[in-house]
Amino acid sequence: LSEGKLLELSLVIGQEFDKTQLESAKDEAHLDKALYRVLDLISRRPRSEWEIRDYLKRKDYKPGEIDQTIRLLSEKGYVNDLDFARRWVESRRLLKSTSKRKLRLELMQKRVSEEAIVKVLEDDETDETEVLKELIAKKCGQTRYQDREKLIAYLIRQGFNYSDIKTAIDSKN
């Protein structure tokens, strides 16, 4: 048990338990361990609810234990898919020029709800055309993207629309 859980349960050295109290303490310890494992996981980067559920499943926790852990984390504000989606979009916008289409796909892969995805992408005020133009300018400086077709293929993989790509490339030339 964590120190906080020990204090909460008022356990002391030398305390004796009957069988039901011991089982209850073991269950508390198991859930406490799940909670701290997840806190360690989300300390590295925010996670969607699905990612946390998947992580706990891989650690062989039962569905009831997973639900209880998720409920505790939600109450404390550590699990919120809308907040996760906002942070994901902000982070991706800072690190990489990406289209809204690709951001949508990434959030769908994290099993974020469609409502949360729509809300976050509507709130995103990034101008896709400007992002595309900046990305083209950046990639044109690299030798492997001197071939127009390779550049177009790369931009399509980034989720940009072909007609927008063609327009942006033509306006650059």
Side-chain angles (χ1 to χ4, degrees):
L1 292 171
S2 66
E3 293 173 358
K5 193 52 93 171
L6 284 171
L7 291 172
E8 182 182 318
L9 296 174
S10 303
L11 299 179
V12 293
I13 296 173
Q15 184 176 352
E16 292 187 18
F17 292 96
D18 63 22
K19 192 171 187 167
T20 58
Q21 289 174 321
L22 182 61
E23 287 303 316
S24 176
K26 283 182 180 180
D27 290 343
E28 288 285 339
H30 192 63
L31 283 173
D32 199 42
K33 187 172 184 178
L35 186 64
Y36 278 89
R37 278 183 160 177
V38 172
L39 289 173
D40 182 52
L41 180 73
I42 62 178
S43 69
R44 291 182 224 130
R45 78 160 172 83
R47 309 284 172 155
S48 69
E49 181 178 329
W50 174 81
E51 287 178 294
I52 294 170
R53 286 183 182 280
D54 184 57
Y55 172 78
L56 290 171
K57 271 186 220 165
R58 286 185 280 124
K59 296 294 181 188
D60 296 325
Y61 286 93
K62 295 177 187 126
E65 296 168 333
I66 293 171
D67 290 340
Q68 194 170 358
T69 304
I70 294 291
R71 186 180 45 75
L72 285 169
L73 290 165
S74 295
E75 288 171 1
K76 295 180 183 200
Y78 292 118
V79 177
N80 179 334
D81 277 355
L82 182 62
D83 186 49
F84 166 78
R86 271 196 192 103
R87 290 179 185 203
W88 184 266
V89 169
E90 288 172 9
S91 171
R92 299 294 281 160
R93 289 289 188 206
L94 288 173
L95 299 174
K96 191 173 185 184
S97 300
T98 305
S99 68
K100 285 186 179 183
R101 183 184 300 164
K102 187 164 184 184
L103 290 171
R104 171 183 290 284
L105 179 63
E106 290 173 349
L107 290 170
M108 287 171 62
Q109 288 171 339
K110 304 286 183 193
R111 305 284 197 324
V112 174
S113 71
E114 183 64 26
E115 300 85 43
I117 294 172
V118 168
K119 172 83 173 110
V120 167
L121 292 179
E122 282 176 357
D123 293 347
D124 180 28
E125 296 176 356
T126 307
D127 182 7
E128 291 264 318
T129 309
E130 285 303 311
V131 170
L132 181 57
K133 287 179 182 177
E134 289 172 13
L135 188 56
I136 289 171
K138 178 182 170 187
K139 294 299 177 181
C140 281
Q142 298 175 359
T143 13
R144 67 178 161 196
Y145 293 112
Q146 293 300 320
D147 178 19
R148 180 182 167 111
E149 297 308 312
K150 281 187 179 181
L151 177 61
I152 290 173
Y154 170 78
L155 295 170
I156 288 173
R157 285 192 307 273
Q158 296 311 305
F160 293 101
N161 188 344
Y162 179 77
S163 60
D164 294 340
I165 294 169
K166 195 142 176 52
T167 304
I169 289 176
D170 290 343
S171 70
K172 183 188 175 292
N173 294 334

